[in-house]
Amino acid sequence: MVKTHNFRELQIWKESMTFVKSIYLLTSSMNSDEKFGLVSQMNRCAVSIPSNIAEGSGRTSEKEFVRFLDIASSSYELETQLILVGEIYDVSTENNIDQLTIIQKKIGAFKRTLNTN
């Protein structure tokens, strides 16, 4: 039997939505020359996390849901961009990276619960 998940009730979705807002705040303070470079890429990477959680929750099997969670948790591209932004613009991105790491771990834990059912 397939379990249905309402993504709006999932803690990992809620936390990743909060994270997206923090990324948008960070990128909004960056140089306007980056609008179509790092800013655009970082925003899209951040948005893809809750988007993939939501998309996966609507799938018909837990195997498919796990596949979308894999995509959501593979956010190392964004982590790299945060490190780069910290170095280029001399801003602290450690809090953002810490938030991202927590989300990655929680998605991993949620995937394990789906795989054991």
Side-chain angles (χ1 to χ4, degrees):
M1 183 173 146
V2 178
K3 246 192 224 181
T4 59
H5 299 275
N6 181 343
F7 67 89
R8 289 183 187 112
E9 295 175 2
L10 294 173
Q11 191 62 33
I12 56 172
W13 181 81
K14 292 175 185 177
E15 289 181 24
S16 62
M17 289 292 286
T18 300
F19 176 71
V20 170
K21 293 173 193 172
S22 72
I23 295 301
Y24 267 78
L25 287 173
L26 173 67
T27 59
S28 70
S29 67
M30 290 171 57
N31 188 328
S32 62
D33 292 342
E34 288 290 354
K35 184 175 182 182
F36 299 107
L38 274 173
V39 168
S40 174
Q41 186 65 27
M42 289 174 68
N43 288 343
R44 283 185 283 124
C45 285
V47 167
S48 76
I49 299 169
S51 297
N52 278 294
I53 294 168
E55 179 70 20
S57 72
R59 295 299 169 148
T60 57
S61 74
E62 291 196 353
K63 183 178 178 180
E64 286 183 286
F65 192 6
V66 168
R67 185 171 61 91
F68 278 90
L69 291 173
D70 281 337
I71 296 166
S73 66
S74 66
S75 46
Y76 298 101
E77 177 182 7
L78 179 55
E79 185 174 346
T80 299
Q81 293 159 355
L82 285 166
I83 293 166
L84 184 60
V85 164
E87 291 176 3
I88 291 173
Y89 293 102
D90 196 30
V91 296
S92 176
T93 57
E94 289 178 27
N95 186 44
N96 300 102
I97 293 170
D98 290 345
Q99 283 180 290
L100 182 58
T101 301
I102 290 167
I103 290 168
Q104 290 166 334
K105 288 178 181 178
K106 287 183 177 184
I107 290 172
F110 184 59
K111 284 182 348 190
R112 287 189 294 280
T113 67
L114 292 174
N115 285 329
T116 59
N117 293 333

